[in-house]
Amino acid sequence: MAEGDFYSGKRVVVTGAAGTVGSRLIRRLLQHPIAELRALDNHENGLFRLSEELKEERRFHPFMCDIRSPAEINSLLKGMDYCFHTAALKHVPSSERAPFETVQTNIMGVQNLIQSALANGLQRVLLTSSDKAVNPTNVMGTTKLMGERLITAANATLHLTSSTVLTSTRFGNVLGSAGSFVPLFCGQIARGGPVTLTDRSMTRFVMTLDESVRLVLKSIELACGGEVFVTKMPVVRISDVAEELVELVAPLYGRNPAKIEIREIGPRPGEKMFEELTSDEELRRTVELDELFAVIPAFRNIYDRIEYAYPPNGTKGATRTYNSANEPVMTRPAIRKLLLEPDVLPPEVSALVAVKSERGVA
């Protein structure tokens, strides 16, 4: 089914609407013939800015809403068809300092959404998850894993009373998002350094904002129910990114790249040397598609009513766990090209790059 047909006439909800992924998702959805888009967030200023940008769009309706409030969510999901749930507490250090708050948002918030979606007869619900949900070593990752499990369980335990399809998608670092290491490094370079790395051999999955949104939209369309989609992404060595950013950004601020120190400070508590997007346990039930993997629910006897087949590859089994230690890393020229993609560098840095390009400076 073409994407335009899939969204035609649908009424769509996006939670976490003022966030990096949520706001870009909204703009992409509004390019399709949807009937209505409800944008939910508890961040007043962010929602106001988004509302100002889209004030001429009649299908767009912003609402101040906290995912922790069952009554609010239930009210705002009435009459809707699809829901993209991007609202979450996503920063590892702050989640470690406030675990109760993280549980309320990332676990209880997902439960509230599921119950409201089922009560209102939504057709599809997608949870955006994280690589940190795989073999979690911190509070944030643990709560995201529990969110995935709630989404999966809802398809199994409630299928007799509901036809709602619920699914999740995991991805790694979205370059240019609020939590990305790219703006952090750029700020350190602009101030003259040092650029701080936890470990030079650390690897990460990365993707652009547009690519992450495109694959989120693809996942909800492919969903059979209860599976976790995993996006295929390039891998970078963090030290390579730091070195490439020093070469690119330092001259923009009149600084000599050779004078910018790259300092190794050691891993933070709970930080992994590489990212995992599937686990050893999940391998035997993982299907490989063209741009995605699909992790099929473990308790298949509960899911006998669902045929897990995905066009065009059907049910081709995955042959390896998907983690950044097992994948080839990007070359330096490829990293430079990726950094120059839209919305990867901070706006002020992008503006300086544009000025430099206009002047024909190499």
Side-chain angles (χ1 to χ4, degrees):
M1 180 184 292
E3 192 174 78
D5 294 333
F6 182 77
Y7 292 101
S8 180
K10 299 300 183 182
R11 300 183 182 278
V12 184
V13 177
V14 176
T15 72
T20 308
V21 174
S23 58
R24 182 58 58 88
L25 180 59
I26 284 169
R27 292 180 179 91
R28 182 70 66 84
L29 286 165
L30 289 171
Q31 294 173 5
H32 298 290
I34 61 173
E36 180 184 359
L37 196 152
R38 293 183 184 175
L40 279 52
D41 209 300
N42 65 353
H43 183 214
E44 182 185 17
N45 290 338
L47 197 62
F48 173 76
R49 286 194 295 270
L50 185 63
S51 302
E52 286 296 296
E53 292 174 22
L54 297 173
K55 61 184 177 184
E56 303 300 326
E57 175 54 72
R58 294 185 177 182
R59 297 170 297 168
F60 174 77
H61 303 289
F63 293 93
M64 278 288 293
C65 175
D66 196 317
I67 195 66
R68 301 180 181 195
S69 171
E72 283 185 76
I73 294 296
N74 190 62
S75 174
L76 290 169
L77 261 57
K78 281 184 169 59
M80 306 307 285
D81 299 306
Y82 302 156
C83 179
F84 295 88
H85 182 42
T86 76
L89 295 180
K90 302 170 184 174
H91 291 280
V92 170
S94 58
S95 293
E96 290 296 314
R97 289 190 290 268
F100 292 177
E101 294 296 307
T102 308
V103 166
Q104 287 298 314
T105 297
N106 293 1
I107 297 179
M108 300 309 299
V110 174
Q111 179 175 318
N112 293 339
L113 186 80
I114 290 170
Q115 292 173 332
S116 296
L118 295 170
N120 286 291
L122 268 68
Q123 296 172 23
R124 296 196 173 226
V125 174
L126 181 141
L127 167 72
T128 57
S129 187
S130 164
D131 62 282
K132 293 175 179 61
V134 182
N135 296 323
T137 58
N138 50 59
V139 170
M140 194 279 278
T142 303
T143 59
K144 294 300 282 185
L145 175 60
M146 192 62 207
E148 288 183 6
R149 296 295 168 87
L150 288 171
I151 289 286
T152 297
N155 284 270
T157 58
L158 303 173
H159 74 268
L160 296 177
T161 57
S162 172
S163 60
T164 303
V165 172
L166 301 100
T167 192
S168 306
T169 184
R170 290 178 194 151
F171 44 81
N173 296 279
V174 177
L175 296 176
S177 66
S180 167
F181 49 79
V182 170
L184 171 65
F185 288 169
C186 286
Q188 292 175 334
I189 295 165
R191 294 189 294 271
V195 176
T196 54
L197 297 179
T198 53
D199 192 292
R200 285 184 172 273
S201 60
M202 190 172 287
T203 57
R204 291 291 181 263
F205 287 108
V206 294
M207 67 193 316
T208 65
L209 180 55
D210 281 338
E211 190 69 357
S212 68
V213 167
R214 185 180 70 81
L215 292 173
V216 163
L217 294 174
K218 184 172 184 176
S219 296
I220 200 172
E221 182 177 348
L222 289 174
C224 298
E227 70 274 83
V228 178
F229 288 102
V230 175
T231 58
K232 294 181 181 179
M233 292 171 286
V235 172
V236 297
R237 189 178 293 108
I238 299 296
S239 58
D240 289 343
V241 177
E243 290 168 8
E244 199 60 41
L245 280 170
V246 168
E247 295 295 326
L248 175 66
V249 176
L252 301 176
Y253 291 90
R255 300 188 183 278
N256 182 353
K259 300 290 187 181
I260 303 292
E261 178 191 1
I262 297 179
R263 182 182 299 170
E264 196 169 352
I265 60 175
R268 294 173 296 185
E271 188 173 32
K272 297 180 181 180
M273 289 299 297
F274 57 88
E275 286 184 332
E276 302 171 280
L277 279 167
T278 61
S279 67
D280 290 336
E281 185 277 327
E282 291 172 335
L283 178 60
R284 58 190 170 82
R285 51 189 175 90
T286 300
V287 175
E288 184 169 4
L289 310 179
D290 54 351
E291 297 181 296
L292 302 160
F293 293 96
V295 181
I296 307 304
F299 299 100
R300 289 299 303 276
N301 60 310
I302 302 176
Y303 291 85
D304 286 344
R305 69 187 179 94
I306 300 175
E307 180 184 359
Y308 289 95
Y310 306 97
N313 293 335
T315 54
K316 174 186 173 184
T319 58
R320 69 193 190 281
T321 56
Y322 192 52
N323 67 60
S324 63
N326 292 341
E327 302 297 318
V329 296
M330 295 180 73
T331 63
R332 289 282 294 271
I335 291 172
R336 171 68 69 106
K337 183 178 179 182
L338 179 64
L339 291 172
L340 293 174
E341 289 285 329
D343 302 313
V344 172
L345 295 171
E348 64 275 12
V349 177
S350 291
L352 291 172
V353 170
V355 170
K356 182 179 177 180
S357 297
E358 289 172 4
R359 292 174 179 172
V361 180

